[in-house]
Amino acid sequence: EGYNTYPFYFKNTLPTEKAPHLLSPVRLGQIVLRNRVVMAPLTRGRSGESRIPNDINLKYYSDRATYAGMVIVEATTVSEAANGWTGSAGLYKPEHVEGWKRVNEAVHAKGCPIIYQ
């Protein structure tokens, strides 16, 4: 079924003849991925000084969840003292958690698991 849910340009550009299971579901422990295409974490730095995930973060991850089997988000800041770069999203205040909840819901609405690092 997963093969039929991708637009023609996506399906025709992936080397499925060399990796025949690339678009087939797989189980990773308790998580089932709809395919084996996993979005690696990338440094985005779009959360601003507040470090609260915002509409830009939501759109970015939601768009990529459309076809990905799983999304791994950028490194999240775990305390004020642990900032790796300017604008990185935080995960140490209630406001951060609320921002990530919105991103989580949008990604899950696309049928895609999301993992935070």
Side-chain angles (χ1 to χ4, degrees), residues 60-76:
Y60 176 80
Y61 289 111
S62 176
D63 285 351
R64 278 136 189 93
T66 301
Y67 300 113
M70 180 169 61
V71 169
I72 304 173
V73 303
E74 61 198 276
T76 51

Side-chain angles (χ1 to χ4, degrees), residues 32-60:
V32 176
L33 309 185
R34 65 175 155 217
N35 62 51
R36 297 154 194 242
V37 179
V38 176
M39 182 188 137
L42 304 165
T43 303
R44 301 292 86 201
R46 296 177 175 167
S47 294
E49 289 184 29
S50 70
R51 302 194 184 280
I52 299 170
N54 53 46
D55 290 341
I56 296 169
N57 302 99
L58 188 144
K59 178 160 176 39
Y60 176 80

Side-chain angles (χ1 to χ4, degrees), residues 39 42 44-47 50-62 71-78 85 87-108 114-117:
M39 182 188 137
L42 304 165
R44 301 292 86 201
R46 296 177 175 167
S47 294
S50 70
R51 302 194 184 280
I52 299 170
N54 53 46
D55 290 341
I56 296 169
N57 302 99
L58 188 144
K59 178 160 176 39
Y60 176 80
Y61 289 111
S62 176
V71 169
I72 304 173
V73 303
E74 61 198 276
T76 51
T77 302
V78 296
W85 59 89
S88 61
L91 195 51
Y92 56 91
K93 291 183 178 178
E95 306 87 63
H96 300 143
V97 173
E98 290 306 312
W100 281 119
K101 279 183 184 178
R102 292 180 54 232
V103 173
N104 240 22
E105 290 168 2
V107 169
H108 286 166
I114 183 169
I115 294 177
Y116 295 83
Q117 67 159 341

Side-chain angles (χ1 to χ4, degrees), residues 1-27 32-38 66-70:
E1 180 177 326
Y3 289 98
N4 298 327
T5 61
Y6 296 94
F8 73 92
Y9 58 84
F10 190 65
K11 190 164 57 173
N12 291 337
T13 59
L14 290 174
T16 53
E17 69 280 351
K18 293 181 181 177
H21 301 292
L22 184 63
L23 298 179
S24 63
V26 65
R27 176 179 289 279
V32 176
L33 309 185
R34 65 175 155 217
N35 62 51
R36 297 154 194 242
V37 179
V38 176
T66 301
Y67 300 113
M70 180 169 61

